[in-house]
């Protein structure tokens, strides 16, 4: 064994850096700033990997000197994202002021440990140029998870922990991974989701530590609590709240839920007065907020601490350069002289971009995975590449690893473009390409082999079980235990030079908090496959993801609720489970196959080497043939719908249970619609295959499989067509039953729904807005009621048997009016426009013909007690503003879930929808990533968007369980932006209704055309040539 030897070395030398490479992160230079003369004082700093270092500073040194020493010790170029925090004598956590003398802030340096932590959290981790910076951010996320500060759901937590474990122990091994989780605490309630963590870890085979860091940050940055540090406060009413600051502005939380946000562009001034923290907003006539918002905090010191971090966040993310110091007043001072000190985010990015800095190896304290860089380390791809050089050291002999290293020097450069996980521009980086010296994991030995691999020319240290004498191994304790040790030595000659970084645009953030570089985004997009078949296959992938989420509403969310309730009948429970669970399991496998094929198509997998991969017909043919085996289950879905309705009708408890489930955010549509999804999905497969067959020439390799799959799916659709139409009509009647009050027996055999919408009814008091519902046997008219659920109150009903219709615009002098002559009464109504009137007249005449074909008038109609003369025509027909619908009612986090149904949207927007429109909308469901921009904002925000049921539903990502908001599209117009709107981007379409304008940007011409097509089916049904009957659709 080689005994440790004492030798003096600088921090940079211990990390293996060249002697002159001490880069200050505050001002560009070669060495840390010189310290003022005076007695030296030792200051202990705890790093993010839980090691502690001691730094010697002069008594009169400002905090900037200590901070620069820490960054130089780490060879950290992007140090301005970080800060030093400590507990002062009041036991309050504060940041070290870089301009004030350190010892004036830290009264007892011997008893104080400063913590080097992340201070500024950028919205996009791809703005972090160095792998070391991303590694330190990953350590911060790991710490926030362990202490319970980063709140998230179990799925996100398990996925993040699995990436952390992958970076520490490498590829999944059943025994090793389980033991690692037993001995290390990553989450406060880790044991409850241990199985989920291991399941996620299995999927990361071949992923390097750098890639794991990247994926960890990708997940973390999407969480609402990412980078949030809560400061307790109270509002004017004394309600307990929490304030926080982020790159976008000041945030307000109630518990862990964000309830308000004040963007920097809306804030005029931040100040505090004693215990009161004040936010002064810019004048906005459209805003009902007070000009000044006031929050009470625990003390003046709490106010000042929060005010300081707000000032620093604003300067770091919003300014182009460090603010200049204020001139000292001659006589009196007013206000605080505190200012942000350091480089802004723009300055950091510009500095790293313009500087040709060498990549210096660093070591990962807990990782036993060794990553070696390829010779070319230019930033070519914004996604990390798989590295065949990252392997568990214990699994390969030294000679094999050395041979592998030699072979790696001849590897081709990785492809320049990969798929984006976030859709916004991300700076092209290659985290796997940085040189890394891995620190031994606390479960492994063999650092001698690591040292020899990193420095083949050096004498072998194989005699030492622990390799370098400066390595300290952390037994079997938790990873958060403090470890005092020195890093291994790497000669400065082993650091390959890095090429100049790709250019980056200004980091000034948009309201959405993202930075985009459109030139590089265009270049990245052009590297994707451009074949139309690829985008058709991608549509299959995106819609399949949404479909599987919809099935989860039935198989997981709903069944978990009814499984706990004894009132829910077991036969119905078992019927639903027996016929939906097999379908869900089948489509899980189908989705996995489609994802794998698309990954091969995009070049994100090595599997394409083994054969032709630019096709999808074989996958579709195989799975549609498998889907035919489930036809017996699909035929049972109508029975599930009927039995569920019967259970609700016979048991008030079951009805309440189902109604309460529909109020949950995961049930973003009426629950019965989810029960129809498997049958509707068959139509989607048919349309996708029709587009593929139309695109391919008959000689194409994929044409034969697509044509065979189309024949199979067409046969299934034809077989299930009758069941599908009956279920759609039955489901629509059930949905309308919930929207109407004052009518019994709406759902009766033989009744078909035809159209619903707004018409103005002429009475003695003039024209009054009414909601009309046209069925195959009757016409019901209602007004919006005053009930908590905003149901529509039935005013009357006109039997269609024997009814006649006549246009009466000239007779009454009312535009677009017509008269309905019934057997007992006549009604004069007016439509909003000529096209709307034409649709109503055509459908009413069709319904009259259907009623005449029946044997006799329907005896199940409303009694005379619902006639017009016994009801108040002017009661409850209040108007609601469009703004209310688009704002308060567009969010799915509203009180009443029934407030956003198609009926209510038609009422507010004075339009109508037919059953044919509903059937067309079923075919035109679509989902995928879009970039959204508001009329008065500069930035594009990436969202996962689902179009269904005449609405757009917005998610952060396709993995989310419920939407953040929705936008009903009835009444909207979809167009292409004009030149005067200055939207100089490709594939942008515009949605507008009155003063509401939204821009959406798609990734290709095909997706642009598809989104325009499906949205027009909802927004422009008035001008579309629709089939005359629903049977024509199939």
């Amino acid at each position: 064994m080689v005994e440790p030897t004492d030798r003096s070395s600088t921090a940079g030398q211990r990390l293996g850096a060249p002697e002159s490479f001490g880069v200050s992160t505050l001002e560009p230079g070669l060495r840390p700033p010189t310290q003022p003369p005076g007695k030296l004082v030792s200051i202990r700093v705890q790093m993010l990997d839980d090691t502690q270092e001691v730094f010697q500073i002069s008594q009169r040194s400002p905090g900037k000197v200590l901070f620069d020493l820490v960054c130089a010790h780490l060879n950290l170029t992007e140090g301005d994202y970080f800060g030093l925090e400590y507990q002062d004598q009041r036991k309050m956590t504060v940041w070290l002021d870089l301009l004030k003398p350190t010892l004036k802030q830290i009264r007892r340096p011997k008893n104080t440990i400063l913590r080097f932590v992340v201070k500024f959290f950028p919205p996009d981790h791809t703005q972090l140029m160095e792998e070391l910076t991303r590694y330190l951010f990953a350590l911060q996320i790991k710490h926030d998870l362990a202490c319970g500060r980063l709140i998230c759901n179990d799925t996100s937590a398990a996925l993040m922990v699995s990436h952390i474990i992958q970076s520490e122990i490498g590829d999944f091994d059943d025994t090793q991974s389980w033991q690692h989780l037993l001995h290390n605490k990553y989450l406060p309630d880790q044991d409850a989701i241990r199985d989920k963590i291991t399941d996620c870890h299995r999927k990361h085979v071949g992923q390097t530590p750098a890639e794991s860091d990247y994926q960890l940050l990708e997940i973390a940055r999407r969480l609402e609590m990412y980078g949030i540090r809560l400061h307790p406060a109270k509002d004017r009413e004394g309600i307990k709240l929490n304030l926080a600051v982020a790159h976008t502005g000041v945030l307000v939380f109630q518990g862990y839920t964000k309830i308000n946000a004040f963007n920097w562009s809306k804030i005029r001034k931040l100040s505090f007065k004693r215990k009161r923290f004040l936010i002064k907003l810019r004048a906005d006539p459209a805003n009902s907020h007070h000009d000044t918002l006031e929050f009470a905090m625990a003390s003046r010191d709490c106010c000042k601490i929060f005010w300081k971090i707000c000032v620093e966040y604003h300067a770091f993310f919003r300014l182009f350069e460090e603010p200049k110091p204020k001139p000292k007043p001659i006589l009196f001072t007013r206000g605080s002289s505190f200012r942000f000190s350091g480089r802004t985010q723009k300055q950091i990015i510009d500095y790293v971009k313009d500087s040709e800095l060498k990549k210096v190896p660093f070591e990962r304290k807990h990782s036993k995975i060794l990553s070696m860089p390829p010779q070319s380390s230019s930033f070519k791809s914004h996604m990390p590449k798989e590295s065949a050089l990252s392997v568990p050291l214990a699994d390969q002999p030294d000679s094999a690893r050395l041979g592998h290293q030699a072979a790696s020097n001849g590897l081709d450069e990785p492809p320049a473009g990969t798929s984006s996980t976030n859709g916004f521009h991300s700076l092209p980086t290659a985290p796997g390409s940085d040189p890394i010296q891995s620190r031994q994991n606390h479960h492994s030995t063999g650092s001698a082999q690591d040292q020899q691999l990193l420095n083949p020319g050096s004498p072998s240290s194989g005699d030492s079980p622990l390799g370098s004498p400066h390595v300290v191994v952390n037994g079997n304790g938790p990873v958060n235990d403090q470890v005092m040790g020195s890093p291994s030595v790497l000669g400065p000659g082993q650091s390959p030079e890095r090429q100049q970084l790709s250019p980056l645009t200004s980091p000034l953030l948009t309201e959405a908090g993202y930075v985009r570089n459109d030139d590089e985004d265009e270049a990245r997009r052009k590297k994707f496959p451009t074949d139309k078949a690829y985008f058709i296959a991608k549509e299959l992938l995106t819609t399949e993801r949404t479909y599987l989420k919809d099935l989860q509403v039935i198989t997981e969310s709903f069944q978990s609720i009814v499984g706990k309730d004894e009132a829910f009948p077991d036969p119905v429970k078992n019927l639903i489970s027996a016929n939906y669970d097999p379908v869900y399991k089948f489509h899980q496998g189908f989705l996995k196959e489609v994802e794998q094929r698309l990954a091969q198509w995009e070049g994100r997998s090595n599997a394409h080497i083994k054969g032709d991969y630019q096709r999808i017909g074989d996958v579709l043919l195989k799975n549609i043939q498998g889907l035919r085996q489930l036809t017996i289950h699909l035929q049972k879905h109508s029975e599930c719908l009927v039995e569920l309705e019967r259970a609700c009708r016979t048991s008030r408890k079951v009805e309440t249970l189902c109604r309460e489930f529909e109020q949950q955010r995961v049930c973003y549509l009426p629950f019965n619609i989810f029960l129809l999804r498997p049958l509707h999905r068959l139509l989607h497969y048919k349309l996708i295959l029709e587009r593929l067959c139309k695109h391919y020439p008959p000689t194409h390799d994929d044409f034969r499989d697509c044509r065979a799959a189309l024949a199979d799916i067409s046969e299934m659709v034809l077989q299930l067509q009758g069941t599908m139409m009956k279920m759609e009509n039955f489901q629509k009647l059930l949905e309308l039953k919930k929207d109407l009050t004052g009518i019994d027996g709406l759902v009766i055999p033989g009744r078909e729904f035809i159209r619903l919408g707004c018409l103005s009814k002429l009475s003695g008091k003039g024209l009054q807005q009414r909601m009309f519902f046209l069925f195959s046997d009757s016409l019901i008219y209602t007004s919006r009621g005053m009930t908590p659920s905003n149901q529509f109150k039935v005013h009357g009903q006109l039997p269609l048997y024997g009814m006649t219709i006549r246009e009466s615009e000239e007779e009454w002098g009312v535009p677009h009016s017509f008269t309905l002559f019934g057997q007992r009464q006549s009604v004069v109504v007016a439509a909003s426009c000529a096209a709307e009137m034409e649709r109503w007249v055509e459908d009413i005449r069709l319904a009259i013909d259907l009623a005449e074909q029946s044997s006799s008038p329907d005896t199940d109609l409303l009694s005379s007690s619902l006639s017009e003369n016994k009801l108040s025509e002017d009661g409850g027909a209040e108007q609601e503003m469009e703004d209310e619908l688009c704002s308060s009612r567009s969010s799915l986090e509203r009180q009443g879930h029934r407030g956003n149904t198609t009926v209510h949207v038609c009422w507010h927007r004075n339009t109508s929808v037919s059953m044919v429109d509903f059937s067309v909308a079923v075919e035109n469901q679509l989902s995928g990533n879009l970039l959204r921009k508001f009329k008065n904002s500069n930035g594009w925000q990436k969202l996962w968007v689902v179009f269904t049921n005449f609405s757009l539903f917005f998610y952060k990502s396709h993995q989310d369980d419920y939407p953040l908001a929705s936008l009903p599209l009835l009444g909207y117009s979809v167009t292409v932006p004009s030149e005067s709107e200055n939207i100089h981007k490709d594939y942008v379409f515009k949605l507008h209704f009155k003063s509401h304008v939204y821009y959406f940007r798609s990734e290709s011409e095909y997706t642009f055309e598809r989104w325009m097509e499906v949205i027009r089916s909802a927004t422009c049904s008035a001008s579309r040539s629709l089939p005359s009957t629903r049977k024509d659709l199939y």
Side-chain angles (χ1 to χ4, degrees):
M1 176 181 290
V2 178
E3 294 295 329
T5 58
D6 294 328
R7 57 179 175 179
S8 61
S9 64
T10 64
Q13 287 172 335
R14 292 199 303 274
L15 281 172
E19 185 176 354
S20 62
F21 193 74
V23 179
S24 167
T25 61
L26 298 183
E27 296 177 4
L30 291 179
R31 297 179 181 275
T34 57
Q35 300 192 33
K39 182 181 177 181
L40 295 180
V41 177
S42 296
I43 302 291
R44 282 192 297 165
V45 177
Q46 181 169 316
M47 303 298 181
L48 280 165
D49 62 0
D50 294 322
T51 59
Q52 290 187 7
E53 297 289 343
V54 179
F55 297 92
Q56 303 287 331
I57 63 169
S58 171
Q59 285 183 328
R60 292 183 290 172
S61 295
K64 175 178 180 291
V65 170
L66 175 60
F67 183 71
D68 280 2
L69 282 173
V70 176
C71 293
H73 166 78
L74 295 172
N75 290 308
L76 181 60
T77 306
E78 299 172 295
D80 298 82
Y81 288 104
F82 302 84
L84 293 169
E85 67 176 10
Y86 64 97
Q87 276 198 339
D88 61 9
Q89 65 275 13
R90 302 159 298 182
K91 299 298 181 183
M92 301 177 68
T93 301
V94 295
W95 293 101
L96 183 71
D97 192 326
L98 301 184
L99 298 180
K100 292 183 179 180
T102 301
L103 294 188
K104 283 193 175 181
Q105 303 176 67
I106 304 173
R107 301 294 185 182
R108 305 171 64 188
K110 289 184 179 180
N111 299 321
T112 302
I113 299 177
L114 286 84
R115 292 181 297 276
F116 181 78
V117 294
V118 177
K119 186 174 186 179
F120 301 108
F121 289 82
D124 192 347
H125 59 286
T126 56
Q127 296 170 3
L128 307 174
M129 316 290 281
E130 296 286 331
E131 182 186 338
L132 172 59
T133 313
R134 290 191 292 273
Y135 168 62
L136 294 175
F137 266 74
L139 291 179
Q140 183 68 63
I141 298 302
K142 174 183 172 182
H143 180 268
D144 288 351
L145 281 171
C147 68
R149 180 183 282 171
L150 184 56
I151 305 297
C152 60
N153 59 41
D154 289 349
T155 302
S156 298
L159 193 55
M160 286 190 287
V161 172
S162 69
H163 284 299
I164 295 172
I165 297 174
Q166 175 71 21
S167 70
E168 292 182 355
I169 67 173
D171 291 346
F172 176 79
D173 177 85
D174 200 1
T175 303
Q176 185 184 19
S177 300
W178 193 259
Q179 289 295 325
H180 192 74
L181 279 172
L182 285 176
H183 293 123
N184 297 277
K185 196 74 171 177
Y186 296 102
L187 297 168
D189 54 348
Q190 178 173 296
D191 294 342
I193 60 171
R194 192 179 299 165
D195 291 336
K196 189 175 288 189
I197 295 172
T198 55
D199 289 341
C200 293
H201 187 196
R202 283 190 178 91
K203 302 174 184 178
H204 304 328
V205 176
Q207 188 168 283
T208 65
E211 291 172 327
S212 297
D213 291 346
Y214 187 97
Q215 298 298 339
L216 173 64
L217 296 177
E218 175 68 26
I219 300 165
R221 76 179 181 90
R222 299 173 183 273
L223 300 176
E224 191 169 67
M225 295 300 293
Y226 168 67
I228 297 299
R229 304 295 182 257
L230 299 177
H231 298 255
K234 294 181 180 179
D235 63 7
R236 293 174 184 265
E237 286 75 30
I239 298 175
K240 292 184 179 180
L241 302 171
N242 288 302
L243 300 181
V245 62
H247 61 278
T248 53
V250 180
L251 312 178
V252 183
F253 287 78
Q254 193 162 26
Y256 294 109
T257 303
K258 184 170 69 175
I259 61 174
N260 212 338
F262 302 100
N263 197 283
W264 293 126
S265 60
K266 303 296 194 314
I267 297 176
R268 182 167 58 89
K269 183 180 180 181
L270 293 173
S271 61
F272 66 96
K273 186 175 182 181
R274 297 186 181 90
K275 296 195 301 184
R276 293 178 297 145
F277 183 79
L278 306 175
I279 303 176
K280 294 185 178 180
L281 303 176
R282 300 185 187 279
D284 185 1
N287 200 335
S288 60
H289 283 300
H290 298 290
D291 178 55
T292 302
L293 301 173
E294 182 179 311
F295 299 91
M297 305 189 82
S299 65
R300 181 185 182 277
D301 292 333
C302 293
C303 271
K304 187 171 185 180
I305 290 170
F306 183 61
W307 174 79
K308 281 185 174 183
I309 190 61
C310 288
V311 170
E312 291 182 310
Y313 253 84
H314 176 267
F316 183 79
F317 286 109
R318 298 282 288 184
L319 302 185
F320 283 92
E321 59 184 16
E322 178 183 352
K324 298 295 186 292
K326 297 178 182 179
K328 292 185 178 181
I330 300 175
L331 295 176
F332 303 104
T333 61
R334 184 178 181 183
S336 174
S337 61
F338 175 78
R339 66 180 177 89
F340 169 72
S341 174
R343 293 180 302 185
T344 64
Q345 188 188 38
K346 181 186 185 320
Q347 288 177 309
I348 299 172
I349 297 175
D350 289 345
Y351 171 68
V352 178
K353 177 185 68 175
D354 298 335
S355 303
E356 295 191 12
L357 304 175
K358 292 184 178 180
K359 291 185 179 179
V360 179
F362 67 93
E363 57 181 359
R364 297 168 180 266
K365 174 186 171 186
H366 301 108
S367 179
K368 75 170 186 177
I369 310 303
L370 180 63
S371 300
M372 286 296 293
Q375 291 301 314
S376 174
S377 58
S378 58
F379 284 32
K380 290 293 185 182
S381 168
H382 120 265
M383 281 292 290
K385 291 293 181 182
E386 279 193 42
S387 173
L389 301 172
S390 178
V391 293
L393 297 178
D395 296 343
Q396 293 195 8
D398 202 317
S399 59
R401 282 175 285 147
L402 287 170
H404 195 84
Q405 180 199 17
S408 69
N409 293 335
L411 289 176
D412 294 335
E413 193 160 306
T418 56
S419 67
S420 170
T421 57
N422 57 24
F424 293 96
H425 167 68
S426 301
L427 181 70
T429 59
S433 67
D434 286 348
I436 305 168
Q437 180 181 1
S438 299
R439 182 177 291 182
Q440 276 299 85
N441 183 271
H442 55 274
H443 286 300
S444 73
T445 59
S447 294
Q449 295 176 352
D450 303 354
Q451 186 67 16
Q452 187 170 353
L453 176 57
L454 283 170
N455 192 2
S458 64
S460 173
S461 55
D463 295 335
S464 172
L466 297 179
S468 170
H470 298 282
V471 174
V472 177
V473 180
N474 174 19
N476 292 322
V479 296
N480 290 328
D481 287 351
Q482 295 181 0
V483 182
M484 298 295 293
S486 301
S488 303
V489 176
L490 176 66
Q494 274 80 45
S495 177
E497 294 202 8
R498 140 175 93 181
Q499 299 176 2
Q500 185 171 349
L501 301 175
S502 301
L504 185 72
T505 55
S506 168
L508 287 183
L509 302 176
T510 66
E511 289 187 345
Y514 295 93
V515 178
R516 290 189 54 79
N517 183 327
D518 295 300
D519 294 336
E520 292 190 10
D521 185 61
E522 293 295 332
R524 179 187 61 78
R525 186 189 304 163
K526 291 175 182 176
K527 294 184 178 70
F528 273 114
T530 56
D531 184 15
K532 183 179 179 180
Y534 162 76
F535 292 106
I536 298 176
K538 192 168 185 180
E539 179 184 336
L540 172 66
L541 170 65
T542 56
T543 53
E544 190 71 15
R545 284 172 172 167
T546 300
Y547 171 55
L548 205 64
K549 280 290 184 183
D550 288 347
L551 285 180
Q552 283 181 1
V553 175
I554 305 170
T555 60
E556 295 182 7
S557 303
F558 182 71
Q559 291 192 25
S560 66
I561 294 296
V562 301
K564 302 173 185 176
D565 198 303
E566 296 180 356
F568 197 88
D570 288 336
V572 180
K573 190 189 310 178
N574 296 334
L575 182 66
I576 294 175
S577 177
N579 291 290
Y580 282 91
D581 288 355
V583 177
Y584 174 65
K585 291 177 182 177
F586 171 81
H587 284 281
Q588 278 184 309
F590 183 24
L591 175 61
K592 190 171 295 185
E593 288 188 41
V594 176
E595 287 176 336
Q596 291 172 350
R597 177 55 57 87
L598 265 292
Q600 295 165 8
W601 204 327
E602 294 167 359
R604 290 186 284 118
S605 169
N606 291 329
H608 64 271
I609 297 173
K610 299 177 182 178
D612 183 16
Y613 59 93
Q614 292 187 344
R615 53 187 297 177
I616 196 66
D618 56 331
V619 177
L620 278 165
L621 178 60
K622 171 192 168 186
N623 284 278
I624 286 174
Q625 289 174 346
L627 190 59
R628 296 186 68 173
Q629 308 301 319
L630 299 175
T631 303
I632 185 170
H633 296 295
L634 298 177
Q635 291 172 334
K636 286 278 189 178
H637 288 181
S638 59
E639 184 180 345
C640 295
L641 185 61
V642 171
E643 291 302 320
L644 180 61
E645 167 59 18
R646 182 176 288 120
C648 292
R649 194 169 62 246
T650 56
S651 171
R652 182 63 61 86
K653 288 185 178 180
V654 174
E655 182 185 11
T656 303
L657 181 70
C658 293
R659 186 171 61 249
E660 289 176 351
F661 177 74
E662 282 196 335
Q663 302 294 330
Q664 296 187 12
R665 292 183 292 183
V666 70
C667 190
Y668 65 99
L669 296 171
F671 179 67
N672 289 336
I673 291 181
F674 291 103
L675 296 175
L676 294 173
R677 282 292 194 245
L679 293 179
H680 291 162
R681 189 61 179 155
L682 301 180
L683 295 175
H684 303 159
Y685 294 146
K686 181 172 179 284
L687 294 171
I688 286 172
L689 283 163
E690 286 175 349
R691 283 195 288 273
L692 282 170
C693 290
K694 185 177 180 180
H695 167 69
Y696 284 136
T699 56
H700 195 279
D701 293 340
D702 207 24
F703 178 77
R704 180 179 298 178
D705 288 339
C706 288
R707 188 173 58 181
L710 177 59
D712 287 345
I713 198 66
S714 299
E715 183 181 344
M716 289 186 66
V717 170
L718 188 63
Q719 181 180 357
L720 296 168
Q721 174 184 333
T723 301
M724 192 183 311
M725 293 178 62
K726 290 178 182 178
M727 285 184 68
E728 286 178 356
N729 183 71
F730 184 56
Q731 181 272 326
K732 183 53 60 180
L733 292 176
L734 293 178
E735 185 179 344
L736 294 179
K737 178 183 173 184
K738 298 175 184 177
D739 284 314
L740 299 180
T741 181
I743 179 173
D744 294 324
L746 183 67
V747 184
I748 59 176
R751 172 173 285 171
E752 291 188 24
F753 165 72
I754 298 176
R755 178 176 289 276
L756 65 85
C758 263
L759 292 171
S760 297
K761 180 178 176 295
L762 185 63
S763 67
K765 299 181 180 179
L767 289 173
Q768 293 183 316
Q769 184 182 4
R770 291 288 179 265
M771 197 72 185
F772 280 74
F773 299 85
L774 177 63
F775 300 96
S776 58
D777 57 354
S778 62
L779 178 66
I780 298 173
Y781 57 95
T782 67
S783 67
R784 191 167 177 270
M786 301 295 292
T787 63
S789 57
N790 294 322
Q791 289 176 297
F792 285 83
K793 183 179 180 182
V794 176
H795 282 244
Q797 177 173 267
L798 300 173
L800 296 181
Y801 188 83
M803 178 183 285
T804 58
I805 184 171
R806 184 181 71 198
E807 297 184 14
S808 52
E809 183 172 337
E810 295 181 0
E811 179 181 354
W812 296 101
V814 178
H816 318 306
S817 62
F818 54 95
T819 305
L820 302 172
F821 297 95
Q823 292 182 339
R824 291 183 294 181
Q825 67 181 93
S826 299
V827 176
V828 179
V829 294
S832 58
C833 61
E836 189 75 7
M837 171 185 166
E838 182 181 347
R839 287 195 294 272
W840 272 106
V841 170
E842 181 181 352
D843 282 350
I844 291 174
R845 282 176 175 160
L846 173 65
I848 291 174
D849 292 341
L850 292 175
E852 294 290 345
Q853 294 171 8
S854 62
S855 57
S856 61
D858 200 323
T859 58
D860 291 331
L861 301 183
L862 292 175
S863 63
S864 59
S865 63
L866 290 177
S867 62
E868 183 182 13
N869 57 359
K870 293 189 179 181
L871 291 171
S872 171
E873 274 294 303
D874 58 348
E878 79 286 347
Q879 295 285 337
E880 292 195 13
M881 298 299 293
E882 168 61 24
D883 287 340
E884 181 185 350
L885 178 69
C886 289
S887 57
S888 64
R889 296 195 182 279
S890 65
S891 171
L892 290 191
E893 300 179 21
R894 57 186 179 272
Q895 292 296 323
H897 191 74
R898 305 296 311 166
N900 203 22
T901 64
T902 306
V903 178
H904 289 82
V905 177
C906 288
W907 171 266
H908 286 288
R909 295 184 181 164
N910 198 18
T911 186
S912 67
V913 179
S914 70
M915 191 63 197
V916 175
D917 293 328
F918 280 106
S919 299
V920 170
V922 162
E923 290 188 2
N924 287 323
Q925 293 177 21
L926 192 61
S927 56
N929 286 313
L930 288 176
L931 299 173
R932 182 187 67 181
K933 179 184 178 299
F934 296 105
K935 179 171 63 174
N936 297 320
S937 67
N938 296 321
W940 294 86
Q941 181 184 10
K942 185 198 175 184
L943 295 167
W944 177 263
V945 183
V946 174
F947 170 78
T948 185
N949 208 40
F950 303 104
S951 298
L952 292 177
F953 295 89
F954 302 104
Y955 302 74
K956 286 184 179 179
S957 76
H958 68 85
Q959 297 172 333
D960 291 354
D961 293 328
Y962 54 83
L964 302 172
S966 68
L967 178 65
L969 295 182
L970 290 173
Y972 268 77
S973 299
V974 57
T975 57
V976 177
S978 61
E979 286 292 329
S980 61
E981 294 174 272
N982 295 321
I983 306 293
H984 304 298
K985 307 293 179 188
D986 294 331
Y987 316 131
V988 176
F989 59 90
K990 170 185 173 184
L991 286 173
H992 57 97
F993 176 78
K994 295 184 178 178
S995 61
H996 304 278
V997 178
Y998 306 93
Y999 300 98
F1000 293 91
R1001 185 179 176 193
S1002 55
E1003 66 174 352
S1004 68
E1005 183 179 2
Y1006 172 81
T1007 52
F1008 167 77
E1009 291 173 352
R1010 284 290 293 142
W1011 279 106
M1012 290 282 285
E1013 176 187 351
V1014 300
I1015 291 176
R1016 278 197 178 117
S1017 71
T1019 60
C1020 306
S1021 59
S1023 60
R1024 289 192 69 222
S1025 175
L1026 294 174
S1028 57
T1029 66
R1030 292 168 56 216
K1031 291 183 179 179
D1032 296 337
L1033 291 170
Y1034 305 110

